[in-house]
mmCIF file of all heavy atoms in Angstrom:
data_model
loop_
_atom_site.group_PDB
_atom_site.id
_atom_site.type_symbol
_atom_site.label_atom_id
_atom_site.label_comp_id
_atom_site.label_asym_id
_atom_site.label_seq_id
_atom_site.Cartn_x
_atom_site.Cartn_y
_atom_site.Cartn_z
ATOM 1 N N HIS B 376 -54.788 -0.880 -7.758
ATOM 2 C CA HIS B 376 -53.690 -0.834 -8.699
ATOM 3 C C HIS B 376 -52.534 -0.059 -8.198
ATOM 4 O O HIS B 376 -51.386 -0.297 -8.588
ATOM 5 C CB HIS B 376 -54.202 -0.255 -10.059
ATOM 6 C CG HIS B 376 -55.002 -1.283 -10.840
ATOM 7 N ND1 HIS B 376 -55.301 -1.053 -12.183
ATOM 8 C CD2 HIS B 376 -55.576 -2.435 -10.446
ATOM 9 C CE1 HIS B 376 -56.028 -2.140 -12.582
ATOM 10 N NE2 HIS B 376 -56.209 -2.933 -11.587
ATOM 11 N N ARG B 377 -52.851 0.981 -7.368
ATOM 12 C CA ARG B 377 -51.734 1.804 -6.855
ATOM 13 C C ARG B 377 -51.129 1.174 -5.569
ATOM 14 O O ARG B 377 -50.229 1.765 -4.961
ATOM 15 C CB ARG B 377 -52.177 3.219 -6.650
ATOM 16 C CG ARG B 377 -52.432 3.917 -7.945
ATOM 17 C CD ARG B 377 -52.440 5.445 -7.836
ATOM 18 N NE ARG B 377 -53.469 5.933 -6.917
ATOM 19 C CZ ARG B 377 -53.244 6.610 -5.834
ATOM 20 N NH1 ARG B 377 -51.998 6.902 -5.488
ATOM 21 N NH2 ARG B 377 -54.267 6.993 -5.092
ATOM 22 N N GLY B 378 -51.636 0.041 -5.180
ATOM 23 C CA GLY B 378 -50.972 -0.661 -4.093
ATOM 24 C C GLY B 378 -51.487 -0.427 -2.672
ATOM 25 O O GLY B 378 -50.712 -0.249 -1.722
ATOM 26 N N ILE B 379 -52.792 -0.378 -2.505
ATOM 27 C CA ILE B 379 -53.337 -0.233 -1.120
ATOM 28 C C ILE B 379 -52.800 -1.393 -0.270
ATOM 29 O O ILE B 379 -52.633 -1.215 0.950
ATOM 30 C CB ILE B 379 -54.907 -0.170 -1.118
ATOM 31 C CG1 ILE B 379 -55.387 0.051 0.339
ATOM 32 C CG2 ILE B 379 -55.519 -1.437 -1.707
ATOM 33 C CD1 ILE B 379 -55.125 1.355 0.934
ATOM 34 N N ILE B 380 -52.531 -2.516 -0.888
ATOM 35 C CA ILE B 380 -52.083 -3.651 -0.141
ATOM 36 C C ILE B 380 -50.782 -3.305 0.617
ATOM 37 O O ILE B 380 -50.676 -3.478 1.817
ATOM 38 C CB ILE B 380 -51.847 -4.904 -1.098
ATOM 39 C CG1 ILE B 380 -53.195 -5.346 -1.595
ATOM 40 C CG2 ILE B 380 -51.128 -6.046 -0.339
ATOM 41 C CD1 ILE B 380 -53.136 -6.474 -2.606
ATOM 42 N N LYS B 381 -49.773 -2.891 -0.135
ATOM 43 C CA LYS B 381 -48.516 -2.654 0.569
ATOM 44 C C LYS B 381 -48.525 -1.348 1.373
ATOM 45 O O LYS B 381 -47.818 -1.253 2.352
ATOM 46 C CB LYS B 381 -47.330 -2.677 -0.402
ATOM 47 C CG LYS B 381 -47.379 -1.703 -1.537
ATOM 48 C CD LYS B 381 -46.183 -1.805 -2.426
ATOM 49 C CE LYS B 381 -46.281 -0.664 -3.461
ATOM 50 N NZ LYS B 381 -45.068 -0.717 -4.300
ATOM 51 N N ASN B 382 -49.297 -0.360 0.961
ATOM 52 C CA ASN B 382 -49.399 0.871 1.757
ATOM 53 C C ASN B 382 -50.184 0.696 3.070
ATOM 54 O O ASN B 382 -49.816 1.234 4.080
ATOM 55 C CB ASN B 382 -50.017 1.950 0.882
ATOM 56 C CG ASN B 382 -48.995 2.494 -0.152
ATOM 57 O OD1 ASN B 382 -48.009 3.108 0.256
ATOM 58 N ND2 ASN B 382 -49.188 2.114 -1.410
ATOM 59 N N GLY B 383 -51.296 -0.123 2.983
ATOM 60 C CA GLY B 383 -51.949 -0.432 4.175
ATOM 61 C C GLY B 383 -51.040 -1.143 5.126
ATOM 62 O O GLY B 383 -51.056 -0.954 6.351
ATOM 63 N N ALA B 384 -50.172 -1.984 4.562
ATOM 64 C CA ALA B 384 -49.261 -2.781 5.380
ATOM 65 C C ALA B 384 -48.274 -1.883 6.105
ATOM 66 O O ALA B 384 -47.808 -2.233 7.152
ATOM 67 C CB ALA B 384 -48.483 -3.781 4.439
ATOM 68 N N LYS B 385 -48.003 -0.727 5.495
ATOM 69 C CA LYS B 385 -47.043 0.233 6.182
ATOM 70 C C LYS B 385 -47.626 0.645 7.571
ATOM 71 O O LYS B 385 -46.870 0.627 8.555
ATOM 72 C CB LYS B 385 -46.900 1.518 5.397
ATOM 73 C CG LYS B 385 -46.010 1.385 4.190
ATOM 74 C CD LYS B 385 -45.965 2.725 3.408
ATOM 75 C CE LYS B 385 -45.200 2.511 2.097
ATOM 76 N NZ LYS B 385 -45.475 3.561 1.159
ATOM 77 N N LEU B 386 -48.891 0.882 7.615
ATOM 78 C CA LEU B 386 -49.504 1.320 8.886
ATOM 79 C C LEU B 386 -49.473 0.203 9.921
ATOM 80 O O LEU B 386 -49.110 0.383 11.052
ATOM 81 C CB LEU B 386 -50.939 1.756 8.631
ATOM 82 C CG LEU B 386 -51.728 2.350 9.766
ATOM 83 C CD1 LEU B 386 -51.012 3.590 10.314
ATOM 84 C CD2 LEU B 386 -53.125 2.769 9.319
ATOM 85 N N LEU B 387 -49.785 -1.024 9.407
ATOM 86 C CA LEU B 387 -49.729 -2.192 10.242
ATOM 87 C C LEU B 387 -48.324 -2.363 10.789
ATOM 88 O O LEU B 387 -48.093 -2.613 12.002
ATOM 89 C CB LEU B 387 -50.113 -3.406 9.376
ATOM 90 C CG LEU B 387 -50.991 -4.503 9.976
ATOM 91 C CD1 LEU B 387 -51.563 -5.333 8.846
ATOM 92 C CD2 LEU B 387 -50.161 -5.368 10.867
ATOM 93 N N PHE B 388 -47.339 -2.324 9.952
ATOM 94 C CA PHE B 388 -45.983 -2.505 10.305
ATOM 95 C C PHE B 388 -45.562 -1.445 11.356
ATOM 96 O O PHE B 388 -44.977 -1.798 12.389
ATOM 97 C CB PHE B 388 -45.064 -2.335 9.065
ATOM 98 C CG PHE B 388 -43.669 -2.940 9.211
ATOM 99 C CD1 PHE B 388 -43.369 -4.077 8.558
ATOM 100 C CD2 PHE B 388 -42.701 -2.283 9.974
ATOM 101 C CE1 PHE B 388 -42.026 -4.624 8.682
ATOM 102 C CE2 PHE B 388 -41.451 -2.810 10.091
ATOM 103 C CZ PHE B 388 -41.114 -4.036 9.445
ATOM 104 N N ALA B 389 -45.911 -0.209 11.084
ATOM 105 C CA ALA B 389 -45.483 0.837 11.994
ATOM 106 C C ALA B 389 -46.031 0.679 13.374
ATOM 107 O O ALA B 389 -45.305 0.791 14.417
ATOM 108 C CB ALA B 389 -45.937 2.204 11.430
ATOM 109 N N TYR B 390 -47.321 0.300 13.474
ATOM 110 C CA TYR B 390 -47.896 0.069 14.802
ATOM 111 C C TYR B 390 -47.265 -1.074 15.490
ATOM 112 O O TYR B 390 -46.858 -1.028 16.656
ATOM 113 C CB TYR B 390 -49.409 -0.231 14.674
ATOM 114 C CG TYR B 390 -50.333 0.938 14.802
ATOM 115 C CD1 TYR B 390 -51.252 1.278 13.808
ATOM 116 C CD2 TYR B 390 -50.287 1.752 15.963
ATOM 117 C CE1 TYR B 390 -52.125 2.372 13.964
ATOM 118 C CE2 TYR B 390 -51.182 2.864 16.080
ATOM 119 C CZ TYR B 390 -52.055 3.156 15.094
ATOM 120 O OH TYR B 390 -52.872 4.223 15.235
ATOM 121 N N SER B 391 -47.161 -2.196 14.781
ATOM 122 C CA SER B 391 -46.653 -3.403 15.410
ATOM 123 C C SER B 391 -45.213 -3.225 15.857
ATOM 124 O O SER B 391 -44.814 -3.739 16.899
ATOM 125 C CB SER B 391 -46.785 -4.571 14.412
ATOM 126 O OG SER B 391 -46.451 -5.776 15.051
ATOM 127 N N GLU B 392 -44.414 -2.529 15.095
ATOM 128 C CA GLU B 392 -43.016 -2.327 15.369
ATOM 129 C C GLU B 392 -42.787 -1.385 16.565
ATOM 130 O O GLU B 392 -41.747 -1.473 17.252
ATOM 131 C CB GLU B 392 -42.341 -1.754 14.104
ATOM 132 C CG GLU B 392 -40.908 -1.380 14.227
ATOM 133 C CD GLU B 392 -40.501 -0.552 12.968
ATOM 134 O OE1 GLU B 392 -41.172 0.437 12.609
ATOM 135 O OE2 GLU B 392 -39.438 -0.928 12.411
ATOM 136 N N ALA B 393 -43.763 -0.497 16.786
ATOM 137 C CA ALA B 393 -43.523 0.554 17.843
ATOM 138 C C ALA B 393 -43.505 -0.046 19.245
ATOM 139 O O ALA B 393 -44.430 -0.802 19.577
ATOM 140 C CB ALA B 393 -44.653 1.598 17.681
ATOM 141 N N THR B 394 -42.491 0.320 20.008
ATOM 142 C CA THR B 394 -42.385 -0.165 21.358
ATOM 143 C C THR B 394 -42.820 0.841 22.392
ATOM 144 O O THR B 394 -42.663 0.635 23.586
ATOM 145 C CB THR B 394 -40.960 -0.610 21.649
ATOM 146 O OG1 THR B 394 -40.074 0.518 21.472
ATOM 147 C CG2 THR B 394 -40.556 -1.783 20.730
#
Side-chain angles (χ1 to χ4, degrees):
Chain B
H376 285 194
R377 290 198 299 120
I379 181 69
I380 292 174
K381 57 180 185 176
N382 285 290
K385 284 178 187 163
L386 186 58
L387 219 162
F388 198 108
Y390 265 125
S391 187
E392 174 191 50
T394 59

